[in-house]
Amino acid sequence: QGSVDVTRSLRLSGGLRYTGIRFATVRDAAFGIPDSSQWFRDVTFQSSVRWQLAPVFGLHFVASRGFRAPNLN
């Protein structure tokens, strides 16, 4: 993640994240569980712009994308 002040009143921020999660099961015939393996991978980001219009008033814009691994029941 990083930030840069473009001017005294304008700041840009952003970041990237890679997430990789692996779920695996071992075969168990007694419970009917097969050998299985799954990967869940994604790249997410966060970006923002902060514009300070006056000492007591500013605007903050944010765009982002999240990732949540699925539930396994």
Side-chain angles (χ1 to χ4, degrees):
Q1 184 168 334
S3 296
V4 63
D5 290 329
V6 179
T7 66
R8 286 182 47 184
S9 62
L10 186 64
R11 171 178 277 190
L12 304 176
S13 300
L16 287 173
R17 175 183 291 178
Y18 172 79
T19 303
I21 300 171
R22 180 177 181 258
F23 292 101
T25 60
V26 178
R27 184 177 183 276
D28 189 339
F31 293 103
I33 299 172
D35 269 337
S36 177
S37 177
Q38 290 184 311
W39 274 97
F40 300 96
R41 292 170 261 201
D42 206 356
V43 175
T44 57
F45 73 94
Q46 183 274 334
S47 60
S48 69
V49 176
R50 187 185 62 153
W51 185 19
Q52 194 69 39
L53 297 170
V56 295
F57 183 77
L59 298 174
H60 191 187
F61 303 95
V62 177
S64 63
R65 183 172 181 278
F67 171 73
R68 182 177 179 276
N71 293 334
L72 296 178
N73 295 331

